[in-house]
Short mmCIF file of all heavy atoms in Angstrom, two decimals:
data_model
loop_
_atom_site.label_atom_id
_atom_site.label_comp_id
_atom_site.label_asym_id
_atom_site.label_seq_id
_atom_site.Cartn_x
_atom_site.Cartn_y
_atom_site.Cartn_z
N MET A 250 96.37 -50.12 4.81
CA MET A 250 96.63 -49.15 3.78
C MET A 250 95.92 -47.82 4.08
O MET A 250 96.47 -46.75 3.86
CB MET A 250 96.19 -49.74 2.44
CG MET A 250 96.49 -48.87 1.27
SD MET A 250 98.28 -48.78 1.04
CE MET A 250 98.36 -47.70 -0.33
N ARG A 251 94.69 -47.93 4.57
CA ARG A 251 93.95 -46.70 4.90
C ARG A 251 94.64 -45.91 5.99
O ARG A 251 94.64 -44.69 5.98
CB ARG A 251 92.54 -47.04 5.36
CG ARG A 251 91.60 -47.37 4.27
CD ARG A 251 90.21 -47.41 4.82
NE ARG A 251 89.49 -48.54 4.26
CZ ARG A 251 88.28 -48.89 4.63
NH1 ARG A 251 87.68 -48.24 5.60
NH2 ARG A 251 87.70 -49.90 4.07
N THR A 252 95.21 -46.62 6.95
CA THR A 252 95.91 -45.94 8.05
C THR A 252 97.10 -45.16 7.53
O THR A 252 97.32 -44.01 7.93
CB THR A 252 96.37 -46.98 9.09
OG1 THR A 252 95.24 -47.72 9.53
CG2 THR A 252 97.03 -46.30 10.27
N PHE A 253 97.86 -45.79 6.63
CA PHE A 253 99.04 -45.13 6.07
C PHE A 253 98.64 -43.88 5.28
O PHE A 253 99.24 -42.82 5.44
CB PHE A 253 99.81 -46.11 5.19
CG PHE A 253 101.09 -45.56 4.65
CD1 PHE A 253 102.15 -45.27 5.49
CD2 PHE A 253 101.22 -45.31 3.30
CE1 PHE A 253 103.33 -44.75 4.99
CE2 PHE A 253 102.39 -44.78 2.79
CZ PHE A 253 103.45 -44.50 3.63
N VAL A 254 97.61 -44.01 4.44
CA VAL A 254 97.13 -42.86 3.66
C VAL A 254 96.59 -41.78 4.60
O VAL A 254 96.81 -40.59 4.38
CB VAL A 254 96.06 -43.30 2.64
CG1 VAL A 254 95.40 -42.11 1.97
CG2 VAL A 254 96.68 -44.21 1.59
N GLY A 255 95.91 -42.20 5.66
CA GLY A 255 95.39 -41.24 6.63
C GLY A 255 96.49 -40.47 7.34
O GLY A 255 96.37 -39.27 7.59
N MET A 256 97.59 -41.16 7.67
CA MET A 256 98.72 -40.48 8.32
C MET A 256 99.37 -39.48 7.38
O MET A 256 99.71 -38.37 7.79
CB MET A 256 99.75 -41.50 8.80
CG MET A 256 99.32 -42.25 10.04
SD MET A 256 100.65 -43.22 10.75
CE MET A 256 100.51 -44.73 9.83
N ILE A 257 99.55 -39.87 6.13
CA ILE A 257 100.14 -38.95 5.14
C ILE A 257 99.23 -37.74 4.94
O ILE A 257 99.69 -36.59 4.95
CB ILE A 257 100.37 -39.68 3.80
CG1 ILE A 257 101.30 -40.84 3.99
CG2 ILE A 257 100.81 -38.71 2.73
CD1 ILE A 257 102.71 -40.64 3.61
N LEU A 258 97.94 -38.00 4.76
CA LEU A 258 96.98 -36.91 4.56
C LEU A 258 96.93 -36.00 5.78
O LEU A 258 96.90 -34.78 5.66
CB LEU A 258 95.61 -37.48 4.25
CG LEU A 258 94.52 -36.48 3.89
CD1 LEU A 258 94.90 -35.71 2.63
CD2 LEU A 258 93.20 -37.19 3.70
N GLY A 259 96.96 -36.57 6.97
CA GLY A 259 96.95 -35.77 8.20
C GLY A 259 98.18 -34.89 8.32
O GLY A 259 98.09 -33.73 8.73
N ALA A 260 99.35 -35.44 7.96
CA ALA A 260 100.58 -34.64 8.02
C ALA A 260 100.53 -33.49 7.02
O ALA A 260 100.96 -32.37 7.32
CB ALA A 260 101.79 -35.53 7.75
N LEU A 261 100.00 -33.76 5.83
CA LEU A 261 99.89 -32.69 4.84
C LEU A 261 98.92 -31.60 5.28
O LEU A 261 99.21 -30.41 5.13
CB LEU A 261 99.45 -33.27 3.49
CG LEU A 261 100.48 -34.13 2.77
CD1 LEU A 261 99.86 -34.77 1.53
CD2 LEU A 261 101.70 -33.32 2.40
N ILE A 262 97.80 -32.01 5.84
CA ILE A 262 96.81 -31.02 6.31
C ILE A 262 97.39 -30.21 7.48
O ILE A 262 97.20 -29.00 7.56
CB ILE A 262 95.50 -31.72 6.71
CG1 ILE A 262 94.79 -32.23 5.44
CG2 ILE A 262 94.58 -30.77 7.47
CD1 ILE A 262 93.59 -33.09 5.71
N LEU A 263 98.11 -30.88 8.38
CA LEU A 263 98.75 -30.17 9.50
C LEU A 263 99.77 -29.15 8.99
O LEU A 263 99.78 -28.00 9.44
CB LEU A 263 99.43 -31.16 10.44
CG LEU A 263 100.19 -30.54 11.60
CD1 LEU A 263 99.23 -29.87 12.56
CD2 LEU A 263 101.01 -31.60 12.30
N GLY A 264 100.61 -29.57 8.05
CA GLY A 264 101.61 -28.65 7.49
C GLY A 264 100.96 -27.47 6.80
O GLY A 264 101.40 -26.33 6.96
N LEU A 265 99.92 -27.72 6.04
CA LEU A 265 99.20 -26.64 5.36
C LEU A 265 98.55 -25.70 6.36
O LEU A 265 98.61 -24.48 6.21
CB LEU A 265 98.15 -27.21 4.41
CG LEU A 265 97.32 -26.20 3.64
CD1 LEU A 265 98.20 -25.41 2.68
CD2 LEU A 265 96.20 -26.89 2.90
N GLY A 266 97.97 -26.26 7.42
CA GLY A 266 97.34 -25.44 8.44
C GLY A 266 98.33 -24.54 9.17
O GLY A 266 98.06 -23.36 9.41
N VAL A 267 99.49 -25.08 9.49
CA VAL A 267 100.53 -24.28 10.16
C VAL A 267 101.02 -23.18 9.23
O VAL A 267 101.23 -22.04 9.66
CB VAL A 267 101.69 -25.19 10.62
CG1 VAL A 267 102.89 -24.37 11.04
CG2 VAL A 267 101.23 -26.08 11.76
N TYR A 268 101.20 -23.51 7.95
CA TYR A 268 101.66 -22.50 6.99
C TYR A 268 100.64 -21.37 6.86
O TYR A 268 101.01 -20.19 6.88
CB TYR A 268 101.92 -23.13 5.63
CG TYR A 268 102.34 -22.13 4.60
CD1 TYR A 268 103.64 -21.63 4.59
CD2 TYR A 268 101.45 -21.66 3.65
CE1 TYR A 268 104.04 -20.69 3.66
CE2 TYR A 268 101.83 -20.72 2.71
CZ TYR A 268 103.13 -20.24 2.72
OH TYR A 268 103.51 -19.31 1.81
N VAL A 269 99.37 -21.71 6.77
CA VAL A 269 98.32 -20.69 6.66
C VAL A 269 98.27 -19.85 7.93
O VAL A 269 98.19 -18.62 7.87
CB VAL A 269 96.95 -21.34 6.37
CG1 VAL A 269 95.82 -20.35 6.54
CG2 VAL A 269 96.93 -21.93 4.97
N HIS A 270 98.36 -20.49 9.08
CA HIS A 270 98.35 -19.76 10.35
C HIS A 270 99.52 -18.78 10.43
O HIS A 270 99.34 -17.61 10.80
CB HIS A 270 98.41 -20.73 11.52
CG HIS A 270 98.46 -20.07 12.86
ND1 HIS A 270 99.64 -19.73 13.47
CD2 HIS A 270 97.47 -19.67 13.68
CE1 HIS A 270 99.38 -19.16 14.62
NE2 HIS A 270 98.06 -19.12 14.78
N ASP A 271 100.71 -19.25 10.09
CA ASP A 271 101.89 -18.39 10.15
C ASP A 271 101.82 -17.26 9.13
O ASP A 271 102.24 -16.14 9.41
CB ASP A 271 103.16 -19.20 9.91
CG ASP A 271 103.58 -19.98 11.14
OD1 ASP A 271 102.96 -19.79 12.20
OD2 ASP A 271 104.53 -20.77 11.03
N SER A 272 101.29 -17.53 7.95
CA SER A 272 101.21 -16.47 6.96
C SER A 272 100.20 -15.41 7.37
O SER A 272 100.36 -14.24 7.05
CB SER A 272 100.86 -17.04 5.58
OG SER A 272 99.56 -17.58 5.58
N MET A 273 99.17 -15.79 8.10
CA MET A 273 98.20 -14.81 8.59
C MET A 273 98.78 -13.99 9.74
O MET A 273 98.46 -12.82 9.90
CB MET A 273 96.91 -15.50 9.01
CG MET A 273 96.16 -16.09 7.84
SD MET A 273 94.76 -17.05 8.36
CE MET A 273 93.62 -15.74 8.77
N GLN A 274 99.63 -14.60 10.56
CA GLN A 274 100.22 -13.90 11.70
C GLN A 274 101.22 -12.85 11.25
O GLN A 274 101.42 -11.86 11.93
CB GLN A 274 100.92 -14.88 12.64
CG GLN A 274 99.99 -15.82 13.34
CD GLN A 274 99.07 -15.11 14.33
OE1 GLN A 274 99.26 -13.97 14.68
NE2 GLN A 274 98.04 -15.82 14.74
N THR A 275 101.89 -13.08 10.14
CA THR A 275 102.93 -12.16 9.69
C THR A 275 102.47 -11.36 8.47
O THR A 275 103.29 -10.86 7.71
CB THR A 275 104.20 -12.92 9.34
OG1 THR A 275 103.89 -13.89 8.34
CG2 THR A 275 104.78 -13.60 10.55
N SER A 276 101.16 -11.23 8.28
CA SER A 276 100.67 -10.49 7.13
C SER A 276 100.84 -8.99 7.33
O SER A 276 101.23 -8.52 8.41
CB SER A 276 99.19 -10.80 6.91
OG SER A 276 98.42 -10.26 7.95
N GLU A 277 100.56 -8.23 6.31
CA GLU A 277 100.69 -6.77 6.38
C GLU A 277 99.70 -6.16 7.36
O GLU A 277 99.92 -5.07 7.87
CB GLU A 277 100.49 -6.18 4.99
CG GLU A 277 101.57 -6.57 4.01
CD GLU A 277 101.30 -6.05 2.61
OE1 GLU A 277 100.30 -5.34 2.43
OE2 GLU A 277 102.09 -6.36 1.72
N VAL A 278 98.61 -6.87 7.64
CA VAL A 278 97.61 -6.37 8.57
C VAL A 278 98.17 -6.35 9.99
O VAL A 278 97.80 -5.52 10.81
CB VAL A 278 96.35 -7.26 8.51
CG1 VAL A 278 95.31 -6.81 9.52
CG2 VAL A 278 95.78 -7.26 7.11
N ALA A 279 99.13 -7.23 10.29
CA ALA A 279 99.67 -7.35 11.65
C ALA A 279 100.84 -6.41 11.90
O ALA A 279 101.63 -6.65 12.80
CB ALA A 279 100.10 -8.79 11.90
N ASN A 280 100.98 -5.35 11.16
CA ASN A 280 102.05 -4.38 11.41
C ASN A 280 101.77 -3.63 12.70
O ASN A 280 100.64 -3.49 13.14
CB ASN A 280 102.15 -3.37 10.26
CG ASN A 280 102.76 -4.00 9.03
OD1 ASN A 280 103.47 -4.98 9.12
ND2 ASN A 280 102.48 -3.42 7.88
N GLY A 281 102.79 -3.14 13.31
CA GLY A 281 102.62 -2.36 14.53
C GLY A 281 102.87 -3.18 15.77
O GLY A 281 103.62 -4.14 15.75
N PRO A 282 102.25 -2.79 16.88
CA PRO A 282 102.54 -3.45 18.16
C PRO A 282 102.11 -4.92 18.20
O PRO A 282 102.71 -5.71 18.90
CB PRO A 282 101.78 -2.63 19.19
CG PRO A 282 100.81 -1.82 18.42
CD PRO A 282 101.32 -1.70 17.03
N THR A 283 101.08 -5.30 17.45
CA THR A 283 100.64 -6.70 17.50
C THR A 283 101.61 -7.63 16.79
O THR A 283 101.64 -8.81 17.07
CB THR A 283 99.24 -6.86 16.88
OG1 THR A 283 99.29 -6.40 15.52
CG2 THR A 283 98.21 -6.09 17.65
N ALA A 284 102.41 -7.11 15.88
CA ALA A 284 103.36 -7.96 15.17
C ALA A 284 104.46 -8.46 16.09
O ALA A 284 105.02 -9.52 15.87
CB ALA A 284 103.98 -7.18 14.01
N GLN A 285 104.75 -7.74 17.15
CA GLN A 285 105.80 -8.17 18.07
C GLN A 285 105.28 -9.18 19.09
O GLN A 285 106.03 -9.99 19.59
CB GLN A 285 106.38 -6.96 18.79
CG GLN A 285 107.10 -6.03 17.83
CD GLN A 285 107.60 -4.78 18.52
OE1 GLN A 285 107.35 -4.58 19.70
NE2 GLN A 285 108.27 -3.93 17.78
N THR A 286 104.00 -9.15 19.43
CA THR A 286 103.47 -10.07 20.42
C THR A 286 103.11 -11.41 19.81
O THR A 286 103.08 -12.41 20.50
CB THR A 286 102.23 -9.48 21.11
OG1 THR A 286 101.23 -9.20 20.13
CG2 THR A 286 102.60 -8.22 21.85
N ARG A 287 102.80 -11.44 18.54
CA ARG A 287 102.44 -12.70 17.88
C ARG A 287 103.66 -13.28 17.19
O ARG A 287 104.36 -12.60 16.47
CB ARG A 287 101.34 -12.45 16.85
CG ARG A 287 100.06 -11.99 17.48
CD ARG A 287 99.02 -11.85 16.43
NE ARG A 287 97.76 -11.47 17.06
CZ ARG A 287 96.70 -11.10 16.39
NH1 ARG A 287 96.74 -11.06 15.08
NH2 ARG A 287 95.60 -10.79 17.02
N ARG A 288 103.89 -14.55 17.42
CA ARG A 288 105.03 -15.22 16.81
C ARG A 288 104.54 -16.35 15.92
O ARG A 288 103.49 -16.93 16.17
CB ARG A 288 105.96 -15.77 17.87
CG ARG A 288 106.61 -14.69 18.67
CD ARG A 288 107.57 -15.30 19.64
NE ARG A 288 108.32 -14.21 20.25
CZ ARG A 288 109.63 -14.20 20.32
NH1 ARG A 288 110.32 -15.19 19.86
NH2 ARG A 288 110.25 -13.19 20.87
N THR A 289 105.34 -16.68 14.93
CA THR A 289 104.99 -17.80 14.07
C THR A 289 105.28 -19.11 14.78
O THR A 289 106.08 -19.18 15.70
CB THR A 289 105.79 -17.74 12.76
OG1 THR A 289 107.18 -17.77 13.06
CG2 THR A 289 105.47 -16.48 11.97
N ILE A 290 104.61 -20.16 14.34
CA ILE A 290 104.81 -21.48 14.92
C ILE A 290 106.13 -22.08 14.43
O ILE A 290 106.86 -22.71 15.18
CB ILE A 290 103.62 -22.40 14.56
CG1 ILE A 290 102.34 -21.87 15.20
CG2 ILE A 290 103.88 -23.83 15.00
CD1 ILE A 290 101.09 -22.59 14.77
N VAL A 291 106.43 -21.89 13.15
CA VAL A 291 107.61 -22.48 12.53
C VAL A 291 108.57 -21.37 12.12
O VAL A 291 108.16 -20.35 11.58
CB VAL A 291 107.20 -23.30 11.29
CG1 VAL A 291 108.41 -23.85 10.58
CG2 VAL A 291 106.25 -24.42 11.67
N ASN A 292 109.84 -21.57 12.36
CA ASN A 292 110.87 -20.66 11.87
C ASN A 292 111.18 -21.09 10.43
O ASN A 292 111.96 -22.02 10.20
CB ASN A 292 112.11 -20.74 12.75
CG ASN A 292 113.12 -19.68 12.41
OD1 ASN A 292 113.04 -19.07 11.35
ND2 ASN A 292 114.07 -19.48 13.29
N TRP A 293 110.55 -20.45 9.46
CA TRP A 293 110.59 -20.92 8.08
C TRP A 293 111.97 -20.79 7.46
O TRP A 293 112.32 -21.57 6.56
CB TRP A 293 109.55 -20.18 7.25
CG TRP A 293 108.16 -20.54 7.69
CD1 TRP A 293 107.34 -19.80 8.46
CD2 TRP A 293 107.48 -21.77 7.43
NE1 TRP A 293 106.17 -20.48 8.69
CE2 TRP A 293 106.22 -21.69 8.07
CE3 TRP A 293 107.80 -22.93 6.73
CZ2 TRP A 293 105.30 -22.72 8.02
CZ3 TRP A 293 106.88 -23.95 6.69
CH2 TRP A 293 105.65 -23.85 7.33
N ASP A 294 112.80 -19.88 7.93
CA ASP A 294 114.16 -19.77 7.41
C ASP A 294 114.98 -21.01 7.78
O ASP A 294 115.70 -21.56 6.96
CB ASP A 294 114.85 -18.52 7.94
CG ASP A 294 114.19 -17.24 7.46
OD1 ASP A 294 113.57 -17.28 6.39
OD2 ASP A 294 114.30 -16.23 8.17
N VAL A 295 114.85 -21.44 9.03
CA VAL A 295 115.57 -22.62 9.48
C VAL A 295 115.02 -23.87 8.79
O VAL A 295 115.78 -24.76 8.39
CB VAL A 295 115.48 -22.76 11.02
CG1 VAL A 295 116.08 -24.06 11.50
CG2 VAL A 295 116.15 -21.58 11.69
N ALA A 296 113.71 -23.93 8.61
CA ALA A 296 113.11 -25.08 7.93
C ALA A 296 113.59 -25.16 6.48
O ALA A 296 113.89 -26.25 5.98
CB ALA A 296 111.59 -24.99 7.98
N ALA A 297 113.69 -24.04 5.79
CA ALA A 297 114.17 -24.04 4.40
C ALA A 297 115.63 -24.45 4.34
O ALA A 297 116.03 -25.21 3.44
CB ALA A 297 113.99 -22.65 3.79
N GLU A 298 116.43 -24.00 5.29
CA GLU A 298 117.84 -24.38 5.32
C GLU A 298 117.99 -25.88 5.57
O GLU A 298 118.80 -26.56 4.92
CB GLU A 298 118.57 -23.59 6.41
CG GLU A 298 120.05 -23.86 6.48
CD GLU A 298 120.73 -23.03 7.56
OE1 GLU A 298 120.26 -21.90 7.82
OE2 GLU A 298 121.71 -23.53 8.12
N SER A 299 117.20 -26.42 6.49
CA SER A 299 117.25 -27.86 6.76
C SER A 299 116.78 -28.66 5.55
O SER A 299 117.35 -29.72 5.25
CB SER A 299 116.38 -28.19 7.97
OG SER A 299 116.88 -27.59 9.13
N TRP A 300 115.75 -28.19 4.87
CA TRP A 300 115.24 -28.88 3.69
C TRP A 300 116.30 -28.90 2.58
O TRP A 300 116.52 -29.93 1.95
CB TRP A 300 113.97 -28.21 3.20
CG TRP A 300 113.42 -28.83 1.96
CD1 TRP A 300 113.39 -28.27 0.72
CD2 TRP A 300 112.83 -30.12 1.82
NE1 TRP A 300 112.82 -29.14 -0.17
CE2 TRP A 300 112.47 -30.28 0.48
CE3 TRP A 300 112.59 -31.16 2.72
CZ2 TRP A 300 111.88 -31.44 0.00
CZ3 TRP A 300 111.99 -32.32 2.23
CH2 TRP A 300 111.64 -32.44 0.90
N ASN A 301 116.97 -27.78 2.37
CA ASN A 301 118.02 -27.73 1.35
C ASN A 301 119.19 -28.64 1.73
O ASN A 301 119.77 -29.29 0.87
CB ASN A 301 118.51 -26.30 1.15
CG ASN A 301 117.48 -25.45 0.43
OD1 ASN A 301 116.67 -25.96 -0.33
ND2 ASN A 301 117.51 -24.16 0.68
N SER A 302 119.53 -28.69 3.00
CA SER A 302 120.58 -29.58 3.46
C SER A 302 120.20 -31.04 3.24
O SER A 302 121.03 -31.85 2.80
CB SER A 302 120.86 -29.32 4.95
OG SER A 302 121.76 -30.26 5.46
N LEU A 303 118.96 -31.39 3.51
CA LEU A 303 118.48 -32.75 3.29
C LEU A 303 118.52 -33.12 1.81
O LEU A 303 118.95 -34.22 1.44
CB LEU A 303 117.06 -32.91 3.83
CG LEU A 303 116.39 -34.25 3.59
CD1 LEU A 303 117.07 -35.32 4.41
CD2 LEU A 303 114.92 -34.17 3.90
N LYS A 304 118.09 -32.19 0.95
CA LYS A 304 118.11 -32.45 -0.50
C LYS A 304 119.54 -32.65 -1.00
O LYS A 304 119.81 -33.56 -1.80
CB LYS A 304 117.45 -31.32 -1.27
CG LYS A 304 115.96 -31.28 -1.13
CD LYS A 304 115.29 -30.34 -2.11
CE LYS A 304 115.86 -28.97 -2.14
NZ LYS A 304 115.13 -28.04 -3.01
N THR A 305 120.47 -31.81 -0.52
CA THR A 305 121.86 -31.93 -0.94
C THR A 305 122.46 -33.25 -0.48
O THR A 305 123.14 -33.94 -1.25
CB THR A 305 122.68 -30.75 -0.37
OG1 THR A 305 122.10 -29.53 -0.82
CG2 THR A 305 124.13 -30.83 -0.80
N ARG A 306 122.19 -33.62 0.76
CA ARG A 306 122.72 -34.88 1.29
C ARG A 306 122.14 -36.07 0.54
O ARG A 306 122.87 -37.02 0.22
CB ARG A 306 122.40 -34.99 2.77
CG ARG A 306 122.94 -36.22 3.42
CD ARG A 306 122.70 -36.21 4.90
NE ARG A 306 123.06 -37.49 5.46
CZ ARG A 306 122.71 -37.89 6.66
NH1 ARG A 306 121.99 -37.10 7.42
NH2 ARG A 306 123.07 -39.07 7.10
N ALA A 307 120.83 -36.04 0.25
CA ALA A 307 120.21 -37.14 -0.49
C ALA A 307 120.80 -37.24 -1.89
O ALA A 307 121.05 -38.35 -2.39
CB ALA A 307 118.70 -36.94 -0.56
N HIS A 308 121.03 -36.11 -2.54
CA HIS A 308 121.62 -36.12 -3.88
C HIS A 308 123.04 -36.68 -3.85
O HIS A 308 123.40 -37.52 -4.69
CB HIS A 308 121.62 -34.71 -4.47
CG HIS A 308 122.21 -34.65 -5.83
ND1 HIS A 308 123.53 -34.33 -6.05
CD2 HIS A 308 121.68 -34.89 -7.05
CE1 HIS A 308 123.78 -34.37 -7.34
NE2 HIS A 308 122.66 -34.71 -7.97
N ASP A 309 123.83 -36.25 -2.89
CA ASP A 309 125.20 -36.74 -2.76
C ASP A 309 125.23 -38.24 -2.49
O ASP A 309 126.03 -38.98 -3.07
CB ASP A 309 125.95 -35.99 -1.66
CG ASP A 309 126.20 -34.54 -2.01
OD1 ASP A 309 126.07 -34.17 -3.19
OD2 ASP A 309 126.51 -33.76 -1.07
N ASP A 310 124.33 -38.71 -1.62
CA ASP A 310 124.26 -40.14 -1.33
C ASP A 310 123.80 -40.93 -2.55
O ASP A 310 124.29 -42.03 -2.81
CB ASP A 310 123.33 -40.41 -0.15
CG ASP A 310 123.93 -39.98 1.17
OD1 ASP A 310 125.15 -39.73 1.22
OD2 ASP A 310 123.17 -39.88 2.16
N TRP A 311 122.86 -40.38 -3.31
CA TRP A 311 122.39 -41.05 -4.53
C TRP A 311 123.52 -41.17 -5.54
O TRP A 311 123.70 -42.21 -6.16
CB TRP A 311 121.22 -40.30 -5.14
CG TRP A 311 120.77 -40.92 -6.41
CD1 TRP A 311 121.01 -40.47 -7.67
CD2 TRP A 311 120.04 -42.13 -6.56
NE1 TRP A 311 120.46 -41.32 -8.59
CE2 TRP A 311 119.86 -42.35 -7.94
CE3 TRP A 311 119.51 -43.05 -5.66
CZ2 TRP A 311 119.19 -43.46 -8.43
CZ3 TRP A 311 118.83 -44.14 -6.15
CH2 TRP A 311 118.68 -44.34 -7.52
N VAL A 312 124.29 -40.13 -5.71
CA VAL A 312 125.43 -40.16 -6.64
C VAL A 312 126.44 -41.20 -6.17
O VAL A 312 126.96 -41.98 -6.97
CB VAL A 312 126.07 -38.75 -6.77
CG1 VAL A 312 127.39 -38.83 -7.49
CG2 VAL A 312 125.12 -37.80 -7.46
N ARG A 313 126.69 -41.23 -4.86
CA ARG A 313 127.66 -42.20 -4.32
C ARG A 313 127.17 -43.63 -4.51
O ARG A 313 127.94 -44.50 -4.92
CB ARG A 313 127.89 -41.92 -2.83
CG ARG A 313 128.92 -42.82 -2.19
CD ARG A 313 129.13 -42.49 -0.72
NE ARG A 313 127.91 -42.42 0.07
CZ ARG A 313 127.30 -43.48 0.62
NH1 ARG A 313 127.81 -44.67 0.46
NH2 ARG A 313 126.21 -43.31 1.32
N ILE A 314 125.90 -43.89 -4.25
CA ILE A 314 125.36 -45.24 -4.39
C ILE A 314 125.29 -45.67 -5.86
O ILE A 314 125.62 -46.80 -6.20
CB ILE A 314 123.97 -45.32 -3.71
CG1 ILE A 314 124.12 -45.21 -2.21
CG2 ILE A 314 123.27 -46.60 -4.08
CD1 ILE A 314 122.82 -45.04 -1.48
N SER A 315 124.85 -44.77 -6.71
CA SER A 315 124.66 -45.14 -8.13
C SER A 315 126.00 -45.28 -8.88
O SER A 315 126.03 -45.88 -9.93
CB SER A 315 123.78 -44.12 -8.83
OG SER A 315 124.40 -42.85 -8.84
N SER A 316 127.07 -44.74 -8.33
CA SER A 316 128.36 -44.85 -9.02
C SER A 316 129.04 -46.20 -8.77
O SER A 316 130.00 -46.53 -9.45
CB SER A 316 129.29 -43.72 -8.59
OG SER A 316 129.64 -43.86 -7.23
N LYS A 317 128.52 -46.96 -7.83
CA LYS A 317 129.13 -48.27 -7.51
C LYS A 317 128.73 -49.33 -8.49
O LYS A 317 127.79 -49.42 -9.11
CB LYS A 317 128.75 -48.72 -6.11
CG LYS A 317 129.43 -47.87 -5.06
CD LYS A 317 129.13 -48.37 -3.69
CE LYS A 317 129.85 -47.53 -2.67
NZ LYS A 317 129.62 -47.97 -1.32
#
């Protein structure tokens, strides 16, 4: 059980760390020439689109399963 909780906690901390890193890289302070050399780790637009697609698919599958 501890291993499972540790994996979940580790994934959450990793996700939070990447989000903080990316938000600092694209902050208003990074305007100018340094903004072009530094890139974010995650393409957040694509991640949001994939997340919305997953939610829609899960909802559609839930409706299909629960209607039987």
Side-chain angles (χ1 to χ4, degrees):
M250 184 68 181
R251 282 191 222 174
T252 304
F253 184 68
V254 171
M256 285 190 273
I257 300 261
L258 186 61
L261 290 173
I262 290 172
L263 177 67
L265 180 65
V267 168
Y268 178 77
V269 168
H270 178 270
D271 282 354
S272 66
M273 292 174 76
Q274 293 293 346
T275 58
S276 69
E277 294 176 3
V278 177
N280 287 337
T283 58
Q285 294 176 357
T286 59
R287 295 183 177 171
R288 294 183 171 231
T289 59
I290 295 173
V291 176
N292 188 345
W293 293 102
D294 296 333
V295 173
E298 183 179 329
S299 296
W300 178 250
N301 288 334
S302 173
L303 176 69
K304 287 192 308 185
T305 303
R306 182 175 172 195
H308 180 265
D309 292 344
D310 288 345
W311 177 256
V312 168
R313 182 179 52 84
I314 290 170
S315 63
S316 67
K317 290 184 178 181

